[in-house]
Amino acid sequence: MIIREIAEKDNEQVEYLIRICLVEFGANKPGTAWTDPSLGNFLLFV
């Protein structure tokens, strides 16, 4: 397994994964990460 830093090309797939999990747990609503405008921009956190 190769572990690397997150890259811009990862944003879309990681956001999709998070949104699927939020739906599964009923958290796809205001007040959660669902409405966070930076959810799809993970390079902000590196």
Side-chain angles (χ1 to χ4, degrees):
M1 176 190 322
I2 297 173
I3 299 175
R4 61 173 175 75
E5 287 190 25
I6 195 164
E8 187 173 353
K9 67 180 184 176
D10 302 318
N11 283 341
E12 186 177 334
Q13 290 178 331
V14 176
E15 180 180 1
Y16 176 76
L17 176 64
I18 291 171
R19 288 192 182 277
I20 291 296
C21 291
L22 289 171
V23 169
E24 182 176 341
F25 288 98
N28 55 330
K29 53 189 167 191
T32 67
W34 186 263
T35 56
D36 186 341
S38 63
L39 181 61
N41 191 357
F42 298 98
L43 293 179
L44 292 175
F45 307 106
V46 175

